[in-house]
Amino acid sequence: MDTFIIEGGRRLCGRIRVNGSKNSALPIMAAALLTRHPVKLRGVPDLADIRNMLRLLAELGCHRTNEAPGAPDLSTLILHSDDESQSHARYDIVRTMRASICTLGPLIARRGYAKVSMPGGCAIGDRPVDLHLRGLSALGAHITLENGDIVAKAPPGGLRGATIFLGGPFGSTVLGTANVMSAAALAKGTTVIESAACEPEVVDLARLLNAMGARISGAGSPRITIQGVPELGPVDHTVMPDRIEAGTFIMAAAITNGDLTIENCPIDALLAVTDRLTAAGVYVQPAQGSPDDGLHASVRVTCDRVLKPVEVTTQPFPGYPTDLQAQLMALLCIADGNSVITERIFPERFLHVAELARMGARLFRQGPTVIISGVRHLIGAPVMASDLRASAGLVLAGLAAQGTTYVNRVYHLDRGYEKMEERLRAVGASIQRIDEKEAAEH
Ligand code: EPZ
């Protein structure tokens, strides 16, 4: 297991480019199960979760047909579902990647049968899938739980359109909306999803499905309408840039008092984030010559020398995203005053709190709320967290801290950020990756 060694206190300056979105790519890759035609995807990031999804799809008879010899480049994938005989997503893979649940809707819709291991809890909370199952049942699927597997069968004649309410205790569900929307694309008749997730990744999936011949309208709003079609065709689709990676880089610039230009930045998908950052004294402005496109902009990030405290509550899109909560907390640790963060999506998603405290942060948690009393400096320390975004927060803290920070178990980070250390180093960070053996020597 690799470790990052970070010497803090270097300003990040220069240009950094945002990759394609992990959370957009995963359900989009699963949608390749909906057709026997090739699905060409561009801008796919090279991440452990993407490779796990490729492995899972291959087991389900959906192969990558443009595999390069040697080290495969994942940035362009051609997926081809040419063997529909195996429809079992096994526990071995599902337990490594919860997004495996995205195969459920496409498998039932196209093959009439799916067996997908029930995902367990994870480091950020219980994470039930009841809304996914409720939505697919409303389309007529018969669903049972057998030996830890969700077993789903379409009724004779296939899935039927229906009106479905997908609201849950914490708002809607992103992957649940993706599952139901993908399945409804091939159902007979019209489906209306009420209280659908409005996240940009749902819009990206709808764009892909429509380009394959689906008839989906309203994606990005709480009501999505889907007129089912009998078949979907081939497609060539570019995955949207990763708004969470972009937000993480914006905060890396801010926490180091740097001056970064972030290219391929989906700025329109980050309005709640830039709103809170502006309040804290971080400025995110269109860079010179930026494309006039809110999904692929170039933005320049600068900030005041002294950051102001802010209050933030995580919410479904367009609210402040839970996936940028840990990174913002790291930043607010060095603001001048008391900030408040309330986590409304995953109320237990605070693995970074105790680790930031090891670096000298002053944090007081009460249930889903953390009060952050800013300190002048964080101090380097060995830390680790078993959640991807918590780990990203610790890397940011390390970039700002005085002295050396060791972020252990960076495989969590590798699930969501491609070659993060190389990209941060290129803009001035002192950050090295060492393996387990080297770490033992430190
Ligand atoms: C997606 O997870 C993302 N994952 C998560 O990103 C992200 O944190 C989350 O959406 C929220 O934005 C992927 O896209 C692969 P949800 P998802 O279903 O879809 C409750 C990261 O770090 N709920 O929208 O699984 C649930 O417990 C990851 O990149 C139910 O009650 O999240 C939560 O409180 C982590 N029943 C809320 O809804 C259900 O059936 C939102 O969860 C489903 C969810």
Side-chain angles (χ1 to χ4, degrees):
M1 279 180 266
D2 293 355
T3 293
F4 279 172
I5 305 183
I6 306 169
E7 297 295 336
R10 314 266 170 106
R11 291 185 74 215
L12 300 192
C13 297
R15 302 179 87 83
I16 195 161
R17 191 174 170 81
V18 176
N19 283 344
S21 159
K22 163 181 88 80
N23 289 349
S24 203
L26 290 169
I28 279 177
M29 289 167 73
L33 293 165
L34 287 165
T35 177
R36 296 201 77 157
H37 295 280
V39 169
K40 186 170 190 173
L41 302 177
R42 299 169 196 268
V44 179
D46 189 351
L47 300 169
D49 278 8
I50 298 290
R51 288 179 182 272
N52 282 330
M53 182 59 93
L54 278 175
R55 203 154 58 89
L56 173 58
L57 290 176
E59 285 199 7
L60 298 172
C62 180
H63 301 99
R64 180 169 184 215
T65 57
N66 65 330
E67 189 128 23
D73 166 19
L74 296 189
S75 61
T76 301
L77 295 178
I78 300 176
L79 299 173
H80 202 174
S81 194
D82 50 16
D83 171 6
E84 299 191 334
S85 60
Q86 293 301 325
S87 297
H88 186 189
R90 293 179 305 109
Y91 181 60
D92 269 5
I93 299 190
V94 175
R95 75 188 167 83
T96 61
M97 185 195 45
R98 288 185 54 85
S100 309
I101 192 74
C102 297
T103 57
L104 185 61
L107 285 174
I108 315 172
R110 169 75 200 173
R111 303 183 186 179
Y113 174 80
K115 195 167 170 181
V116 176
S117 180
M118 179 84 151
C122 75
I124 65 177
D126 285 346
R127 304 194 68 187
V129 291
D130 56 310
L131 297 172
H132 299 235
L133 304 188
R134 194 209 285 172
L136 295 169
S137 300
L139 294 176
H142 178 259
I143 299 181
T144 51
L145 189 64
E146 292 174 17
N147 306 319
D149 290 324
I150 300 162
V151 179
K153 291 180 190 143
L159 298 177
R160 301 176 301 266
T163 296
I164 300 164
F165 178 71
L166 271 193
F170 299 100
S172 189
T173 160
V174 179
L175 294 183
T177 302
N179 247 331
V180 175
M181 186 170 77
S182 299
L186 287 181
K188 288 201 174 65
T190 303
T191 298
V192 178
I193 306 177
E194 293 285 3
S195 195
C198 303
E199 269 65 6
E201 293 76 14
V202 171
V203 179
D204 205 17
L205 175 63
R207 275 202 302 131
L208 169 103
L209 294 171
N210 282 340
M212 292 166 80
R215 294 175 58 203
I216 299 172
S217 59
S221 79
R223 176 186 290 158
I224 301 179
T225 305
I226 305 135
Q227 317 274 353
V229 296
E231 289 277 339
L232 293 174
V235 67
D236 183 339
H237 179 84
T238 301
V239 174
M240 68 170 282
D242 195 313
R243 64 191 167 106
I244 305 304
E245 186 178 271
T248 304
F249 289 150
I250 291 173
M251 288 187 232
I255 206 166
T256 62
N257 192 24
D259 184 347
L260 269 189
T261 297
I262 298 175
E263 297 170 353
N264 202 32
C265 178
I267 194 67
D268 284 358
L270 284 163
L271 295 181
V273 177
T274 50
D275 173 75
R276 293 296 69 205
L277 289 176
T278 306
V282 180
Y283 306 104
V284 183
Q285 282 150 342
Q288 237 182 5
S290 170
D292 186 17
D293 165 0
L295 207 54
H296 303 91
S298 288
V299 297
R300 182 170 172 203
V301 187
T302 52
C303 65
D304 292 339
R305 184 155 283 280
V306 178
L307 295 173
K308 292 184 272 299
V310 290
E311 284 186 27
V312 178
T313 299
T314 64
Q315 283 168 337
F317 191 84
Y320 189 94
T322 172
D323 290 347
L324 284 170
Q325 179 255 109
Q327 299 89 321
L328 182 66
M329 191 178 293
L331 180 68
L332 295 176
C333 283
I334 54 166
D336 184 23
N338 293 334
S339 299
V340 183
I341 293 186
T342 300
E343 175 56 66
R344 286 249 182 270
I345 309 293
F346 297 114
E348 297 299 322
R349 194 176 200 179
F350 286 123
L351 290 171
H352 41 290
V353 168
E355 302 300 299
L356 288 170
R358 289 172 50 72
M359 300 179 71
R362 294 185 57 215
L363 305 167
F364 309 91
R365 177 176 168 197
Q366 198 151 49
T369 297
V370 176
I371 298 171
I372 304 135
S373 282
V375 293
R376 219 170 241 277
H377 301 291
L378 291 170
I379 301 153
V383 287
M384 72 169 195
S386 39
D387 165 38
L388 152 64
R389 309 301 173 186
S391 304
L394 296 176
V395 169
L396 296 192
L399 293 174
Q402 287 183 340
T404 311
T405 297
Y406 298 84
V407 181
N408 293 304
R409 299 197 174 186
V410 293
Y411 65 86
H412 292 291
L413 198 90
D414 292 337
R415 287 186 36 228
Y417 299 89
E418 186 179 336
K419 299 192 178 110
M420 192 189 211
E421 75 283 17
E422 290 178 20
R423 292 155 80 201
L424 290 176
R425 209 161 43 232
V427 289
S430 167
I431 175 168
Q432 307 295 333
R433 179 189 289 260
I434 56 168
D435 62 22
E436 213 164 352
K437 237 174 80 199
E438 291 167 310
E441 286 160 15
H442 269 266

